[in-house]
Amino acid sequence: NDNSAGPESAKGVCLALAMSPRFTSLNLSNNSLGDAGATTLSKAIPKLNSLVHLDLAANDLNHRGANAIFAALLSNQSVTSLDLSSKTGGLRNHLCKHNGYPLECLMLRNPVLAKLSLQGTGLGTEGSIGLARGLVANRSLLTLDLAGCDLGARGAAAIAEALADSCLEELNLSDNRIGDEGLVAIAVRIGAPPPEPGQSGTAPLQMQLQSQLRPKLANSSTLDGSSNILNGGNGPAGSSSSGANNGTTGSINPANEPGLESAVKYREHLHVARGSVLELNPTVLAGKSGAQRDE
């Protein structure tokens, strides 16, 4: 960690791991591995059956280096935590749309990864759509950090479509400029209408909104039947939604969806089932555990 280690150092690390494969955590964050170093490490990862945590944050990785790591994890059945996040400075990791499909494959084919951090990598809208496609069928990922990834409204809507079918307990979407449109998509896809003020949201996929909200759902293009983002196709115009838990996109009529007409202007918190909390305010959109919420 923070030792100016470059691509040549990655070769030494691989040799050390080969000679002593008992290590469970590898932290190489804040170094200068670059794509070449990440590619070198990727060749060793499938053989590291005891490795649980891999931290390559802030290593000047681009999409090629990240994809090499994603591909290696397709053959690894031990790593449960992967950190490819960025930190302020010149060694930021940069992801893009070219990481979308590899992330989709990772979500579909890796049965053990439980925590993924891509914070500050600039994954972007197209990259997040690929991730969301895989997230729909993933049953292991519990924590996902996409803060500062330039998702925009479409990227947030794609993640939202995957929420009802995923097993996520913590989700961080801070600093993504998702706007009202993205927030509405998240609210609709999470599921049930919010309880009345003073009631706790403890039922599966139930939400609790802690602020006064105004109805604008009917005007949201994200919820229009013409755009099913994850399927990449066009739904029939005017088709009706068959429910919040089936992952489909249809036109929403607030009058037919009790409680949905109030789910637009988020100012404080959105409580989600499975002991997790999704925080929504002008500056923060982040997941917290049930224990943190109780504090």
Side-chain angles (χ1 to χ4, degrees):
N1 179 12
D2 200 9
N3 273 297
S4 301
E8 290 300 316
S9 298
K11 297 178 182 179
V13 170
C14 289
L15 179 60
L17 292 173
M19 295 176 63
S20 183
R22 68 183 183 276
F23 293 102
T24 60
S25 180
L26 178 59
N27 184 351
L28 294 174
S29 62
N30 296 297
N31 283 296
S32 307
L33 297 181
D35 288 347
T39 301
T40 298
L41 284 174
S42 71
K43 297 175 182 178
I45 289 175
K47 303 174 184 178
L48 301 177
N49 297 323
S50 63
L51 189 64
V52 175
H53 174 69
L54 178 59
D55 189 344
L56 298 177
N59 261 287
D60 197 25
L61 302 186
N62 290 311
H63 70 274
R64 291 182 178 85
N67 284 345
I69 299 298
F70 297 150
L73 289 176
L74 297 180
S75 303
N76 179 285
Q77 301 294 304
S78 64
V79 174
T80 61
S81 174
L82 174 64
D83 190 343
L84 291 182
S85 61
S86 281
K87 295 179 174 63
T88 303
L91 297 174
R92 298 174 62 91
N93 292 338
H94 298 277
L95 305 189
C96 64
K97 64 180 181 181
H98 299 299
N99 296 112
Y101 180 68
L103 278 169
E104 178 182 352
C105 293
L106 180 64
M107 293 295 98
L108 292 174
R109 294 171 54 185
N110 183 299
V112 298
L113 189 66
K115 183 176 181 179
L116 177 62
S117 179
L118 302 177
Q119 180 177 358
T121 58
L123 179 63
T125 298
E126 299 303 322
S128 64
I129 290 175
L131 171 62
R133 288 195 184 104
L135 194 59
V136 170
N138 182 278
R139 292 297 174 265
S140 65
L141 196 69
L142 302 177
T143 301
L144 178 61
D145 189 346
L146 294 175
C149 279
D150 298 327
L151 302 187
R154 288 186 64 236
I159 297 297
E161 287 191 33
L163 284 180
D165 296 314
S166 76
C167 294
L168 280 180
E169 294 179 355
E170 297 182 41
L171 175 63
N172 187 347
L173 296 178
S174 304
D175 191 21
N176 271 294
R177 297 175 298 176
I178 66 178
D180 287 346
E181 192 174 22
L183 296 178
V184 169
I186 291 171
V188 171
R189 288 303 168 195
I190 282 177
E196 295 297 325
Q199 295 181 357
S200 61
T202 57
L205 293 176
Q206 193 170 34
M207 302 181 295
Q208 179 180 353
L209 301 180
Q210 295 182 333
S211 58
Q212 297 298 319
L213 310 176
R214 304 279 305 173
K216 287 186 180 179
L217 283 177
N219 297 326
S220 174
S221 61
T222 301
L223 305 179
D224 185 82
S226 63
S227 59
N228 188 319
I229 295 177
L230 296 190
N231 291 334
N234 295 326
S239 60
S240 62
S241 172
S242 59
N245 294 334
N246 61 5
T248 60
T249 299
S251 59
I252 302 295
N253 182 352
N256 296 331
E257 299 287 341
L260 290 183
E261 61 180 339
S262 64
V264 171
K265 292 291 185 182
Y266 295 80
R267 289 292 179 263
E268 296 180 347
H269 299 83
L270 174 62
H271 289 236
V272 188
R274 297 190 292 273
S276 63
V277 175
L278 190 65
E279 253 180 42
L280 301 176
N281 63 37
T283 57
V284 178
L285 179 53
K288 290 185 178 179
S289 67
Q292 289 173 311
R293 179 191 62 204
D294 292 339
E295 292 174 2

